[in-house]
């Protein structure tokens, strides 16, 4: 069974940092691109970042470019999102999602984790 | 970026009746070389992550009931629930994956 499980969310002050993790199982992790998508409380979905299966291709939404860094460790079946210089508008549930039928930075997102809540507040 | 516009924002449908959700993209998501529309639909129930329902605009994901169907091409798409069940209460999102991923604003489906 395909599973992705996020962790690392919490309360952080504006300007602070947080590192999210995503543990994958039930599929050949190194064969798939992965994505982060976020959802602010009561709002819609916003794509955040893409990383190719090898980690060689990485893309970010303009809203997080220069502040967030995505990485993966295929040997450990894990995905990470380092978030720096956090702002109140980064408050959201962050989902890890597996990519399929990807073209450039764009994928169908076929499996999603339960998400982890990041709250940026003083 | 491609802007995805869904309508209506919400709708209330009686059990067993048809629900129709529309999604319009600001530019075509039909890839001419493959003749595929890079358009997906997701269902999100309260407190849960989105679940993939439909991809390539009309291909049902494995395990999705056949009362869910997708149609359309180019810039105009529709998700239809042919006979609404209580468990279909959710917010539905369209997503394009033709270029940098964007989502529609969501349509909340409730029971009348």
């Amino acid at each position: 069974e395909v599973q992705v499980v996020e962790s690392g969310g919490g309360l952080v002050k504006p300007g602070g940092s947080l590192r999210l993790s995503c543990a994958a199982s039930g599929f050949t992790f190194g064969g798939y691109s992965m994505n982060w998508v976020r959802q602010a409380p009561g709002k819609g979905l916003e794509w955040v970042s893409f990383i190719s299966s090898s980690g060689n291709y990485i893309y970010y939404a303009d809203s997080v470019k220069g502040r967030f860094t995505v990485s993966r460790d295929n040997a450990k079946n894990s995905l990470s999102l380092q978030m720096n210089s956090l702002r109140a508008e980064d408050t959201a549930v962050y989902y890890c999602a597996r990519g399929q039928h990807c073209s450039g930075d764009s994928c169908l997102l076929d499996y999603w984790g339960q998400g982890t809540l990041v709250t940026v507040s003083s | 970026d491609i802007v995805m516009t869904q309508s209506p924002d919400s709708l209330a449908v009686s059990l067993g009746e048809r629900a129709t959700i529309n999604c319009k993209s600001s530019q075509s998501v039909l890839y001419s070389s493959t003749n595929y529309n890079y358009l997906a639909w997701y269902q999100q129930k309260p407190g849960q992550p989105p679940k993939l329902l439909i991809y390539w605009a009309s291909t049902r994901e494995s395990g999705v009931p056949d009362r869910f169907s997708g149609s359309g091409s180019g810039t105009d798409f529709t998700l239809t629930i042919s006979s609404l069940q209580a468990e279909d209460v959710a917010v539905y999102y369209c997503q394009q994956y033709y270029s940098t991923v964007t989502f529609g604003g969501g349509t909340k489906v409730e029971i009348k």
Side-chain angles (χ1 to χ4, degrees):
Chain A
E1 179 193 6
V2 172
Q3 278 197 319
V4 289
V5 179
E6 304 91 340
S7 61
L11 175 64
V12 60
K13 289 182 168 54
S17 298
L18 209 57
R19 187 177 183 87
L20 305 184
S21 297
C22 171
S25 61
F27 65 102
T28 304
F29 181 72
Y32 289 85
S33 298
M34 297 296 294
N35 295 259
W36 288 98
V37 177
R38 68 184 181 183
Q39 186 170 35
K43 301 297 185 183
L45 301 165
E46 179 189 15
W47 171 80
V48 170
S49 182
F50 163 98
I51 184 167
S52 64
S53 57
S54 64
N56 288 341
Y57 299 95
I58 288 173
Y59 302 97
Y60 300 97
D62 287 344
S63 58
V64 307
K65 202 173 293 182
R67 300 187 298 122
F68 289 12
T69 302
V70 65
S71 60
R72 65 188 297 161
D73 184 338
N74 287 344
K76 295 183 178 179
N77 293 344
S78 70
L79 175 73
S80 296
L81 185 68
Q82 177 66 41
M83 304 186 296
N84 298 332
S85 303
L86 283 162
R87 307 166 180 167
E89 54 265 36
D90 295 319
T91 294
V93 173
Y94 284 73
Y95 295 104
C96 165
R98 191 178 79 167
Q100 278 271 34
H101 306 298
C102 302
S103 174
D105 64 353
S106 311
C107 302
L108 173 69
L109 305 171
D110 64 348
Y111 284 94
W112 299 58
Q114 289 295 316
T116 188
L117 176 62
V118 173
T119 303
V120 184
S121 174
S122 54
Chain B
D1 289 358
I2 298 176
V3 176
M4 307 299 290
T5 303
Q6 286 184 234
S7 62
D9 292 337
S10 65
L11 75 161
V13 176
S14 300
L15 288 172
E17 296 300 306
R18 179 184 299 261
T20 302
I21 300 168
N22 301 301
C23 175
K24 188 175 183 66
S25 56
S26 60
Q27 64 186 75
S28 176
V29 298
L30 174 62
Y31 226 118
S32 55
S33 59
T34 62
N35 207 36
Y36 282 128
N37 287 282
Y38 283 56
L39 189 284
W41 289 96
Y42 299 85
Q43 175 193 64
Q44 186 177 32
K45 297 181 179 180
Q48 295 186 20
K51 172 189 173 184
L52 176 64
L53 294 178
I54 303 278
Y55 57 100
W56 301 136
S58 60
T59 301
R60 209 176 297 116
E61 174 73 330
S62 176
V64 173
D66 60 7
R67 63 180 180 273
F68 291 92
S69 64
S71 63
S73 184
T75 62
D76 291 279
F77 301 91
T78 300
L79 174 70
T80 301
I81 310 172
S82 60
S83 175
L84 191 75
Q85 305 299 305
E87 61 265 32
D88 301 334
V89 169
V91 178
Y92 293 84
Y93 294 93
C94 61
Q95 175 226 345
Q96 63 79 20
Y97 48 107
Y98 180 92
S99 64
T100 302
V101 164
T102 50
F103 295 89
T107 295
K108 186 174 185 178
V109 174
E110 299 172 307
I111 305 294
K112 185 187 292 182

